[in-house]
């Protein structure tokens, strides 16, 4: 691995740009190749086998671009395919998902606590967070809730009005999450509604800490690159944003997730990338 090689980031779509942004915020000089599998979006409702097949193929594309790191930004893909992608990639690159860094963060900061998680159906039913937190053997009560309306809601740009407040409130008031003291945002899209979630709990005078898995993985990646002297020192890092299906609405929505519009390049996951 060489320091000037890019970081490959992939997601089911453009929501993973929240993770790309978190990475850029702490590692501004890194080159990034982002792949959003918009042709197969959403992963949250797909079978494990389908997500595994897509993820391995995308990892192959990113390896051909000589990425030093492959970051699985999607929680659903992290749940379904992290082990397989890690095995496939071997020593050619370092693979990160968004779950392990978050579980490490919980191990360090939360011991006797009630921790909650919201995510897609796939992330919640796969139970990977639940299993890994149980393996910590700490006195943590873990509760998770699938919140499938949040992804389409945010993608429609509905995240700060009465409709979104009602939907967010309905989910967060679910009895499953009643006694939690911290909440993992287990989906690429949820950093966008972080403030709204905070406001919801503040309005109830409830103290619930929000754990943003995008930020957690970005900091873990930074430590890894520093420790292994893999921080890019060359000037003018590149940024490429590829999607497997293109519509103008995808391009417009990038602004919600990356804070600026980006030029999307179209590439089927079965094509080769130059
Ligand atoms: N990227 C997905 C995740 O983080 C959300 C969107 C989808 O279901 O594909 O779970």
């Amino acid at each position: 691995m060489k320091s000037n090689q890019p970081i490959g980031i992939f997601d089911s779509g453009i929501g993973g740009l929240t993770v790309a942004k978190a990475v850029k915020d702490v590692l501004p000089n890194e080159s990034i190749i982002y792949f959003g599998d918009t042709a197969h979006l959403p992963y949250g409702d797909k079978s494990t086998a389908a997500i595994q097949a897509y993820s391995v193929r995308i990892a192959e594309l990113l390896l051909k671009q000589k990425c030093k790191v492959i970051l699985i930004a999607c929680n659903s893909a992290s749940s379904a395919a992290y082990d397989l992608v890690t095995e496939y990639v071997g020593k050619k690159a370092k693979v990160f998902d968004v779950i392990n860094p978050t579980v490490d963060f919980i191990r360090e900061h939360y011991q006797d606590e009630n921790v909650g998680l919201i995510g897609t159906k796939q992330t919640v039913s796969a139970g990977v967070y639940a299993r890994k937190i149980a393996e910590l053997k700490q006195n943590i009560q873990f509760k998770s809730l699938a919140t499938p309306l949040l992804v389409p809601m945010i993608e429609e740009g509905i995240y700060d009005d009465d409709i979104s407040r009602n939907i967010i409130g309905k989910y967060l008031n679910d009895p499953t999450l009643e006694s939690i003291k911290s909440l993992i945002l287990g989906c690429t899209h949820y950093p966008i509604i972080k403030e709204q979630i905070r406001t919801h709990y503040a309005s109830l005078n409830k103290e619930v800490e929000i754990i943003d898995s995008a930020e957690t993985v970005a900091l873990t990646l930074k430590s890894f690159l520093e420790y292994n002297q893999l921080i890019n020192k060359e000037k003018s890092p590149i940024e490429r944003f590829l999607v497997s299906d293109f519509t103008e609405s995808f391009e417009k929505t990038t602004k919600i997730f990356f804070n600026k519009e980006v030029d999307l390049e179209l590439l089927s996951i079965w094509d080769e990338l130059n």
Side-chain angles (χ1 to χ4, degrees):
M1 273 184 248
K2 291 204 196 99
S3 54
N4 62 354
Q5 290 172 245
I7 293 173
I9 302 179
F10 80 86
D11 178 45
S12 55
I14 44 185
L17 288 172
T18 53
V19 179
K21 179 170 182 308
V23 168
K24 271 303 215 188
D25 285 349
V26 295
L27 294 163
N29 203 42
E30 292 300 317
S31 290
I32 282 187
I33 301 182
Y34 181 90
F35 192 94
D37 192 10
T38 43
H40 299 118
L41 181 83
Y43 278 11
D45 299 335
K46 294 278 180 315
S47 70
T48 300
I51 299 173
Q52 287 177 337
Y54 303 145
S55 299
V56 168
R57 173 61 190 149
I58 298 167
E60 187 183 7
L61 281 172
L62 295 173
L63 275 182
K64 286 199 180 140
Q65 292 300 304
K66 306 222 172 340
C67 290
K68 61 187 171 189
V69 163
I70 293 180
L71 198 176
I72 309 175
C74 178
N75 277 263
S76 305
S78 295
S79 295
Y82 171 70
D83 291 342
L84 202 66
V85 170
T86 306
E87 201 178 313
Y88 177 79
V89 168
K91 292 200 164 50
K92 292 183 212 127
K94 171 76 178 167
V95 179
F96 285 94
D97 69 347
V98 280
I99 299 179
N100 284 306
T102 306
V103 172
D104 286 343
F105 182 82
I106 286 171
R107 191 193 52 231
E108 282 160 30
H109 296 91
Y110 301 89
Q111 265 141 37
D112 303 297
E113 228 183 72
N114 290 352
V115 177
L117 167 105
I118 51 174
T120 63
K121 289 182 192 166
Q122 161 67 34
T123 298
V124 170
S125 68
V128 177
Y129 276 100
R131 179 169 52 77
K132 295 203 166 176
I133 288 175
E135 281 166 7
L136 297 177
K137 299 215 181 321
Q138 292 178 176
N139 195 16
I140 295 173
Q141 300 297 318
F142 178 75
K143 297 283 166 58
S144 59
L145 183 73
T147 50
L149 287 178
L150 297 182
V151 164
M153 179 190 94
I154 295 166
E155 287 192 353
E156 286 302 323
I158 300 171
Y159 51 88
D160 199 15
D161 62 12
D162 287 346
I163 299 173
S164 58
R165 266 189 287 283
N166 277 329
I167 296 176
I168 293 169
K170 179 160 173 46
Y171 281 137
L172 297 183
N173 290 337
D174 190 284
T176 315
L177 301 176
E178 200 176 329
S179 50
I180 59 167
K181 291 277 173 278
S182 52
L183 179 69
I184 303 169
L185 305 184
C187 175
T188 44
H189 291 52
Y190 302 171
I192 306 299
I193 51 169
K194 192 156 59 171
E195 283 320 310
Q196 287 75 0
I197 292 175
R198 281 210 180 101
T199 307
H200 171 84
Y201 284 122
S203 73
L204 300 174
N205 276 330
K206 257 177 122 173
E207 268 185 42
V208 175
E209 264 187 69
I210 311 297
I211 304 168
D212 180 341
S213 52
E215 271 172 21
T216 317
V217 70
L219 292 172
T220 305
L221 172 58
K222 182 168 187 247
S223 308
F224 169 82
L225 295 182
E226 282 170 353
Y227 185 79
N228 292 287
Q229 299 179 350
L230 283 171
I231 297 273
N232 183 30
K233 296 197 186 63
E234 285 178 12
K235 297 269 164 356
S236 320
I238 57 149
E239 283 180 10
R240 286 183 79 178
F241 299 94
L242 304 144
V243 283
S244 52
D245 189 22
F246 178 84
T247 68
E248 272 175 22
S249 87
F250 285 143
E251 201 152 46
K252 283 205 191 95
T253 320
T254 58
K255 192 150 188 232
I256 300 177
F257 298 103
F258 202 61
N259 237 359
K260 62 174 191 195
E261 277 179 36
V262 298
D263 290 329
L264 299 177
E265 299 173 53
L266 178 63
L267 185 89
S268 153
I269 66 171
W270 311 114
D271 288 344
E272 296 303 328
L273 173 60
N274 297 313

